[in-house]
Amino acid sequence: MKKLYSLVLILGLALVLAACGGADDNKKSSDKSSNGDSSKGMIPDTLVIGFVPSQDSDTIADTVAPLADRLGEKLGIKVKSQVMTDYNALVEAMGANQVHIGFIPAFGYVLAKEQYDVEVILKSMRNGSGTYKAQYLVRADSGINSLEDLKGKIWAYADQGSTSGYLFPANQLMEKFDLESPEELADFFGGTTPTGGHDNAAIAVYEGDADVATTFDDVRTDLEKEYPDIMEKLKVLDYTDDIPNDTISVTKELDKDFVQKVKDTFLSFNDDPDMIKIMNDVYNWNAIDEASDEEYQVVKDTYAKFKDSVELD
């Protein structure tokens, strides 16, 4: 009986020690997870790249498909390209982690950074420069020869989330004519027309549906094939100040080592004429360079003036 009692005590003690050891192991495992594996970001099964419509969406989708395929080959995963309806749609998709990498203009990046902590990793280069200007396009026979002549005219732009299509021209006009708000700017014009794309804004002026279009410099070159006389029919009235170039930005959820691999892969495309041609055809990029958040402070400062009044939905 004593032997049986002793055996029960030994077994009970063993179970208690095992439970304590298991708890310690679980704690260690939990600590390792919180400090180790769980700090690793995600690597999606399918990497989604988002683009904004600088031109016809179907055209962009067809053009960028080989770029997505090449990126997928380099990264060893499936890559899908997706053309969004506008800038804000891309921002929201990145915030929901439905799009992981965004070819996103400066203003869109500022929104995405503020709202969803999106990270800029690269920027576009055009003719050796990391900045560009927006332009005001009018018909050559319109009689419009200065920004003052725009009063009462019809203004076409891509959308209010466009850095060069709206934000910087709007800021320039408000400062020039002492206008206090975007609402006063709208009253300065005889009407405004969001067209959904820089090419559409220019075409609206070309076809006489608007008097002035604000676009990136120079959207006309993308339209010459369809409108051979567009360089003669439309003239550049003026330009804005320098704008930081478009970005390649990533969501905060992506694994950092994976992001570095993405960054290195895009930079390698500088030595791949086929890839550079694709980016030139879509956004007039000539090269890709590294970028930092500090470069976009001027856009943040400009956006602050519009934050409470511009509709971005």
Side-chain angles (χ1 to χ4, degrees):
M1 189 68 176
K2 289 182 177 180
K3 289 183 178 180
L4 179 61
Y5 182 69
S6 298
L7 180 60
V8 170
L9 287 176
I10 292 170
L11 287 174
L13 180 60
L15 288 172
V16 170
L17 291 173
C20 291
D24 287 343
D25 288 344
N26 288 337
K27 183 177 186 302
K28 290 176 182 177
S29 175
S30 176
D31 289 344
K32 181 178 179 181
S33 176
S34 64
N35 294 323
D37 293 343
S38 68
S39 67
K40 296 282 286 182
M42 65 170 286
I43 300 177
D45 293 331
T46 298
L47 184 69
V48 182
I49 310 177
F51 298 85
V52 292
S54 64
Q55 51 185 287
D56 180 76
S57 295
D58 291 336
T59 300
I60 293 178
D62 292 340
T63 304
V64 301
L67 184 146
D69 292 341
R70 184 70 59 82
L71 184 63
E73 292 173 8
K74 296 281 190 179
L75 297 176
I77 64 172
K78 183 178 179 181
V79 176
K80 174 186 174 183
S81 59
Q82 185 171 339
V83 182
M84 314 305 293
T85 55
D86 56 30
Y87 301 84
N88 197 50
L90 177 54
V91 171
E92 293 303 316
M94 294 185 76
N97 211 38
Q98 296 169 346
V99 170
H100 309 108
I101 300 175
F103 277 62
I104 185 169
F107 184 31
Y109 163 69
V110 167
L111 294 177
K113 178 67 175 177
E114 178 183 80
Q115 297 174 13
Y116 304 113
D117 201 22
V118 165
E119 177 188 2
V120 59
I121 58 172
L122 298 164
K123 66 185 176 187
S124 64
M125 297 293 289
R126 296 183 178 93
N127 302 315
S129 176
T131 63
Y132 70 109
K133 296 178 185 292
Q135 63 184 14
Y136 299 80
L137 287 176
V138 298
R139 286 184 63 93
D141 60 1
S142 65
I144 299 174
N145 297 308
S146 68
L147 294 178
E148 286 80 3
D149 294 335
L150 295 179
K151 184 173 177 59
K153 301 297 191 294
I154 305 300
W155 176 23
Y157 54 83
D159 63 62
Q160 289 187 328
S162 170
T163 314
S164 58
Y166 180 84
L167 182 66
F168 267 64
N171 184 59
Q172 181 182 41
L173 292 170
M174 286 170 60
E175 289 183 349
K176 182 175 181 63
F177 298 112
D178 295 322
L179 304 174
E180 297 295 329
S181 67
E183 290 76 20
E184 286 190 25
L185 177 62
D187 292 339
F188 172 84
F189 287 99
T192 60
T193 304
T195 64
H198 292 253
D199 55 346
N200 294 333
I203 292 168
V205 176
Y206 179 92
E207 294 182 342
D209 296 324
D211 299 301
V212 59
T214 46
T215 72
F216 61 80
D217 176 26
D218 188 340
V219 71
R220 294 177 298 173
T221 59
D222 295 337
L223 296 169
E224 280 188 285
K225 184 175 181 180
E226 188 175 358
Y227 302 91
D229 60 347
I230 195 167
M231 300 299 287
E232 292 76 37
K233 287 289 184 66
L234 299 187
K235 69 177 183 178
V236 177
L237 177 67
D238 209 335
Y239 295 94
T240 65
D241 293 334
D242 287 342
I243 304 169
N245 277 358
D246 304 348
T247 77
I248 297 177
S249 298
V250 298
T251 59
K252 65 180 181 180
E253 289 82 2
L254 288 182
D255 177 78
K256 298 306 180 186
D257 291 338
F258 179 71
V259 168
Q260 186 61 51
K261 190 174 181 181
V262 168
K263 184 176 179 179
D264 293 341
T265 301
F266 273 119
L267 288 172
S268 75
F269 288 170
N270 284 322
D271 299 319
D272 189 329
D274 291 338
M275 295 300 100
I276 291 298
K277 183 179 186 305
I278 288 172
M279 287 179 281
N280 189 271
D281 288 344
V282 175
Y283 293 133
N284 296 318
W285 294 20
N286 303 123
I288 302 172
D289 199 3
E290 297 191 40
S292 65
D293 178 69
E294 290 76 15
E295 296 176 55
Y296 295 85
Q297 188 61 48
V298 63
V299 184
K300 295 178 185 181
D301 294 342
T302 304
Y303 166 51
K305 301 179 183 180
F306 294 82
K307 187 174 181 178
D308 297 328
S309 51
V310 172
E311 293 293 334
L312 297 172
D313 296 329

